[in-house]
Amino acid sequence: MAEVTLLETRGLTRRFGGLTAVDAVDFRLSRGEVRAIIGPNGAGKSTFVGLLSGLIAPGAGSIAFDGQDITRMPAHRRVRAGIAYTFQITNIYPAMTVLENAAIAAQSRLGTGSEAAIEAAARAALAAVGLSDLETRRAGDLAYGHQRLVEVAMGLALAPKLLILDEPTQGLSDAEIANFIAVIRRVAASATVLLIEHNMDVVMALAGRITVMENGRILAEGTPDQITRDPAVQAAYLGGAS
């Protein structure tokens, strides 16, 4: 089956004063992919996904999503268009229950019409990440790894076409990381996934393709095997700069 482009950028650029954080990036993501973006600190990864999600405005270039130009579309409209973005730092409502957190996301998609539909969507999202048994717990009382999964569930409750995860395993234990990998494999059955990740074991376990960034530009793209064998990537990241 031919690949269908879900998201594409052309010449995407963002400068902060004299620093070019994202430098004329051409990028294409196919529907159904799990793509990882890797690179050393300061490579421009988080700025790039901030541009995709609408949290940062581009200085130049274009972004197309699902056949629509979204370059100037505000973040809240991109969510409705099907882009869900979870942050490096857990972004939940700690005083609310796990179910209430997921329901807030579901309500933003479904509106206020049907409480039953909102609750069903929230419970489905929690089931997808394995948190059904904790739905009545106060989110702020959960272990950090479970809080990260609440955030992923909130993203899933939006029924996204694209789920963007920024450093999702940061701060997780080995057991929590193993569970997260299993969760994302389930999520990938219904959504395209784009993740920024430093843990190369996670990248190799999940990604069908990898994009490597350095100094705001794409250094290389390919399968995990191609990337690990690429001399430029080894010098810049895998075996060189951290």
Side-chain angles (χ1 to χ4, degrees), residues 52-64:
L52 300 182
S53 64
L55 296 178
I56 301 172
S62 65
I63 308 169

Side-chain angles (χ1 to χ4, degrees), residues 149-164:
L149 291 179
V150 171
E151 189 184 25
V152 173
M154 292 173 73
L156 293 180
L158 296 168
K161 298 172 185 174
L162 172 61
L163 179 64
I164 302 175

